[in-house]
Amino acid sequence: MKDSLEIRWHGRGGQGAKTAALLLADVAFETGKFVQGFPEYGPERMGAPITAYNRISDSEIKLHSNIYEPDYVVVVDETLLESVDVTAGLKKKGAIVINSAGSVDELRPYLRGYEGKVYVIDARRISEEALVKYYPNSPMLAAIVKVCGVMDEESFFAQMEGSFRHKFASKPEVIEGNMKALRMAYAEVSE
C-alpha cells in the first residue's frame, strides 16, 4: 500500500455504507494507521442516496474535507449507477467496486467513460446466504479491503472478529454470519 489512500462509498440509507466506512476506519486504526471515516448526508431517509468516506494513512492526516478525487469507490447499490456519477474524480490508477450480480462488461456503460479497474461482488447473494437477510455492508467491506490492500487478510479478519465480538457479544450467530459473509466476499471479489 502507498502512504495513504482515499475511499468514497455510495449507498442508500439503511444499507450500511456509513457503518462499513466507520468499521474500516476502526480496523485500520487497530493496525496502526491514521484514519478518518465519516458520512455526508442531508435530511436522510431510508433508501435515499448517501455518501461516506475513508482516509487511511501511514502518517497524520491533516486534511478535513470530503473526498473529491478518491483512489477507490465502493458502490453498495448498483441502482445508483443510473442517477449518481459515482466515478466523478475517481483516479484512473484506482478502482471501483460494485455490488452486482452482473458482469463488468454489463456495468461499464454506466460508468461514464471510466477506464480504470472495475470489480464486482454479488453482496446480495453472499449476505442472504451468510446472514439470511440482505445486509450488503459486510461483503462490500471485505471486497474493498482486498482490492485496495489496506491491510493483510489475516489482520483484517482478526480485527473484524474482535469488533463483532464486542458489538454482538450476546448474539454469536450474528458474529458467525458476518464473518462468513466477510470471508466469502474476500474470496469472491473479481475484476
Side-chain angles (χ1 to χ4, degrees):
M1 183 187 108
K2 59 184 184 175
D3 178 54
S4 66
L5 61 87
E6 296 181 323
I7 301 168
R8 187 174 64 216
W9 297 75
H10 292 278
R12 293 190 182 277
Q15 291 179 324
K18 177 186 102 170
T19 301
L22 297 177
L23 276 170
L24 178 55
D26 286 347
V27 298
F29 176 78
E30 291 297 329
T31 64
K33 303 288 185 191
F34 291 86
V35 300
Q36 292 178 353
F38 55 98
E40 170 193 32
Y41 44 60
E44 291 315 302
R45 63 192 184 284
M46 193 74 118
I50 69 110
T51 309
Y53 305 94
N54 284 112
R55 280 194 182 90
I56 302 170
S57 179
D58 292 331
S59 55
E60 184 179 358
I61 302 169
K62 296 182 180 182
L63 183 61
H64 297 280
S65 68
N66 290 347
I67 295 172
Y68 301 103
E69 295 181 349
D71 299 293
Y72 300 92
V73 166
V74 180
V75 180
V76 180
D77 187 323
E78 75 178 307
T79 65
L80 291 171
L81 296 175
E82 296 176 18
S83 59
V84 176
D85 184 3
V86 298
T87 60
L90 178 57
K91 294 176 183 167
K92 207 178 206 182
K93 292 185 178 181
I96 185 168
V97 180
I98 304 169
N99 172 12
S100 178
S103 70
V104 172
D105 290 338
E106 292 170 325
L107 297 172
R108 209 168 266 285
Y110 297 100
L111 301 182
R112 302 178 190 217
Y114 178 68
E115 297 174 1
K117 292 182 179 180
V118 179
Y119 294 82
V120 293
I121 184 74
D122 188 349
R124 175 177 293 279
R125 181 189 53 75
I126 290 170
S127 174
E128 290 175 349
E129 184 177 324
L131 298 163
V132 190
K133 288 189 177 182
Y134 183 46
Y135 298 114
N137 58 340
S138 285
M140 296 308 292
L141 175 57
I144 191 60
V145 166
K146 182 174 182 180
V147 167
C148 74
V150 68
M151 68 187 73
D152 67 79
E153 181 177 1
E154 188 176 308
S155 295
F156 172 63
F157 289 131
Q159 292 300 326
M160 287 306 300
E161 187 164 1
S163 178
F164 289 150
R165 287 199 184 287
H166 175 74
K167 290 178 180 157
F168 304 113
S170 64
K171 298 179 179 179
E173 70 282 358
V174 173
I175 299 166
E176 185 180 316
N178 274 287
M179 289 307 297
K180 181 178 180 182
L182 290 172
R183 290 183 193 286
M184 289 173 68
Y186 198 95
E188 293 180 24
V189 66
S190 62
E191 186 177 353

